[in-house]
Amino acid sequence: MTKDKLIIPESCYKVIMEHGRSNLPYESCGLVSGKGRHVQTVWKLVNEIKSDRRYFVGEKVIERTLEQIDKKKEKVIAIYHSHPATEPIPSSYDIVNHPNDELVMMIISYKSDKPQLKCYRVHNKTYNECLFLIDPNS
Ligand SMILES: [Zn+2]
């Protein structure tokens, strides 16, 4: 059980949370890369549609980001996006648009005063929560 946990360095966690906050009231999104279950880098992307319910990033930007991840010899671990005003639960739209079941879906909710991060594994159009820990020493 524990060995399936994602390990997120506190510095990366802060980048994701700040990115989401700075884009309110719109959704923010990005990629998270690293090795195995160890997160190492956060790639902030620009949500090309200003929406509080949707995010979109063009293929070219994704391709360029994937190249940079490859150069660092890392792999994409997760895709994150924020929910500015709703719970951190995948919407049916999120599920349908999740590009790859190998990737973790991270959602950061700003519904309450204390932002909340949740991670999910998506499989066959359903999802399970995936546990993570925030590592203060990296
Ligand atoms: Zn969503």
Side-chain angles (χ1 to χ4, degrees):
M1 185 76 177
T2 316
K3 66 175 165 42
D4 294 317
K5 271 188 190 171
L6 271 191
I7 299 167
I8 307 173
E10 194 168 21
S11 54
C12 290
Y13 172 78
K14 282 183 178 161
V15 169
I16 295 170
M17 300 309 263
E18 270 311 303
H19 184 211
R21 190 186 294 286
S22 67
N23 275 286
L24 291 174
Y26 305 119
E27 280 199 14
S28 64
C29 59
L31 296 176
V32 168
S33 66
K35 289 182 180 131
R37 62 202 174 87
H38 292 260
V39 168
Q40 289 173 311
T41 315
V42 177
W43 306 84
K44 295 192 255 182
L45 298 174
V46 174
N47 183 4
E48 292 170 25
I49 45 170
K50 286 211 180 309
S51 164
D52 61 350
R53 301 270 151 166
R54 299 271 191 276
Y55 67 95
F56 175 80
V57 181
E59 242 167 80
K60 278 259 156 22
V61 176
I62 301 274
E63 267 171 36
R64 247 181 282 136
T65 309
L66 292 178
E67 275 168 24
Q68 284 173 273
I69 292 171
D70 210 47
K71 265 188 209 151
K72 292 192 78 174
K73 305 221 184 313
E74 294 182 13
K75 292 244 183 298
V76 182
I77 295 176
I79 302 177
Y80 72 87
H81 73 282
S82 63
H83 282 182
T86 56
E87 301 284 350
I89 295 168
S91 65
S92 49
Y93 179 85
D94 289 339
I95 301 283
V96 168
N97 287 285
H98 193 65
N100 182 336
D101 286 2
E102 301 289 308
L103 303 181
V104 169
M105 182 190 290
M106 282 185 181
I107 302 178
I108 312 98
S109 166
Y110 294 86
K111 185 173 188 250
S112 65
D113 291 341
K114 203 174 180 296
Q116 202 185 1
L117 172 69
K118 293 248 185 190
C119 297
Y120 300 92
R121 294 202 183 272
V122 181
H123 189 62
N124 286 337
K125 306 298 167 206
T126 60
Y127 59 85
N128 290 302
E129 203 170 332
C130 152
L131 299 176
F132 62 90
L133 55 90
I134 293 164
D135 181 0
N137 301 313
S138 59

